[in-house]
Amino acid sequence: MPQNANIKGTIHAPEPTPIDLFLPVDYYELERMIIDLHTHTKPWSEDSYLTPGELIGQAKKVGLDGICLTEHDWFWTAEKVAEFTRGHDFLVLPGVEITTEEGHLLVFGLEKYVFGMHRAQFVKRLVDEVGGAIIVAHPYRREFPMIDPDYSGFRRGLGRACEKSIYEVADAIEVLNGRASEKEIIFSREVGRILNLKGVGASDAHELKDIGSCATEFEREIRNLQDLVTELKAGRFKAVNLRTGYSIP
């Protein structure tokens, strides 16, 4: 269990009723800067329907200030990402979604895949060597049954999740995912609360309609990858549901 976790007597499984995720708020009134930390494009992410150009164009259209390209176990070069930024006059930053045995990690700072990255602790050592940052992506995946009317499976899954070693490597956790259900968002939020991990938001975009769903609002300007890592490490951000204005500090 992560050292900062103390789940005994602290798991408060929410009542199976809606929470205030869907209050109408104009997100353009929110403070800036707003960046989508988790997106996918084809062909490098085989499950994505978006080209990089379509992704960037739609991100600009909905009013984002930047995006991170995080393909599945595939790395964009810094040169190509810089080309996207110049060509679209829009902030594009490199990242990757690494598939480990323990779960999926959004990683910022590494430049290539090496054998051993199927283990979260190995990824952590590599990231620490370069001064990067790690976010646990969609922590709700396969943690509780979809049919669970009394939330008993939710409670058991939450207890199991908070014991997992993957959270020991994390600088933050993805508490708002644009493709997640309300129940999955509640689960992610609870994991972050119990483990005292700051939460980010992201669209996890695979289709055009995903872009502009959730993102992360940073307190300071992000100009490059180093700025992003610095602000993630410092915790100067909050997760934002851009469809509603709901945020998680």
Side-chain angles (χ1 to χ4, degrees):
M1 185 195 310
Q3 293 180 354
N4 60 352
N6 178 15
I7 68 169
K8 186 177 180 181
T10 64
I11 296 178
H12 306 294
E15 295 298 321
T17 56
I19 61 173
D20 55 340
L21 290 178
F22 304 103
L23 300 176
V25 176
D26 184 354
Y27 90 82
Y28 290 102
E29 296 179 358
L30 295 170
E31 295 180 2
R32 300 289 184 176
M33 156 173 221
I34 297 176
I35 298 177
D36 190 341
L37 299 174
H38 184 181
T39 69
H40 297 280
T41 64
K42 63 180 183 182
W44 312 114
S45 291
E46 295 181 353
D47 54 350
S48 177
Y49 295 93
L50 295 167
T51 66
E54 290 170 338
L55 171 62
I56 297 167
Q58 185 67 5
K60 293 181 69 173
K61 182 178 179 180
V62 302
L64 296 179
D65 297 304
I67 61 166
C68 299
L69 295 175
T70 54
E71 314 298 359
H72 298 292
D73 302 308
W74 191 88
F75 291 76
W76 287 97
T77 65
E79 293 76 16
K80 186 61 179 178
V81 171
E83 181 181 318
F84 287 144
T85 294
R86 291 191 300 270
H88 293 269
D89 190 26
F90 184 76
L91 180 66
V92 182
L93 300 173
V96 66
E97 182 175 353
I98 297 292
T99 304
T100 75
E101 294 175 354
E102 299 91 340
H104 289 202
L105 301 175
L106 299 175
V107 176
F108 303 96
L110 298 183
E111 296 181 348
K112 64 179 180 179
Y113 192 95
V114 298
F115 180 76
M117 292 175 72
H118 60 290
R119 298 288 181 88
Q121 289 292 344
F122 182 79
V123 175
K124 172 66 170 173
R125 289 197 295 272
L126 295 177
V127 171
D128 285 347
E129 288 175 2
V130 300
I134 297 176
I135 299 166
V136 176
H138 32 65
Y140 53 82
R141 289 270 182 95
R142 294 177 290 278
E143 292 291 1
F144 61 89
M146 295 306 294
I147 300 176
D148 182 36
D150 64 355
Y151 272 56
S152 59
F154 183 102
R155 292 181 177 91
R156 290 192 298 271
L158 188 56
R160 288 193 303 269
C162 291
E163 296 280 352
K164 290 188 173 181
S165 62
I166 190 170
Y167 297 103
E168 295 176 358
V169 311
D171 297 294
I173 179 175
E174 188 180 61
V175 295
L176 288 178
N177 180 296
R179 295 163 63 86
S181 69
E182 182 179 335
K183 190 173 182 179
E184 289 168 334
I185 289 173
I186 295 171
F187 186 93
S188 301
R189 187 180 65 179
E190 281 293 284
V191 172
R193 181 188 65 81
I194 292 167
L195 299 182
N196 195 30
L197 283 169
K198 285 278 290 185
V200 305
S203 69
D204 191 7
H206 290 69
E207 303 177 65
L208 207 63
K209 64 181 178 62
D210 300 328
I211 304 165
S213 55
C214 297
T216 302
E217 180 186 349
F218 290 90
E219 297 175 14
R220 300 186 181 184
E221 183 181 8
I222 307 296
R223 297 160 298 180
N224 51 50
L225 181 60
Q226 185 56 58
D227 285 347
L228 176 67
V229 169
T230 297
E231 296 309 298
L232 287 172
K233 292 282 193 180
R236 291 187 286 261
F237 57 84
K238 64 181 178 180
V240 183
N241 185 327
L242 300 178
R243 292 170 175 152
T244 68
Y246 175 85
S247 66
I248 302 176

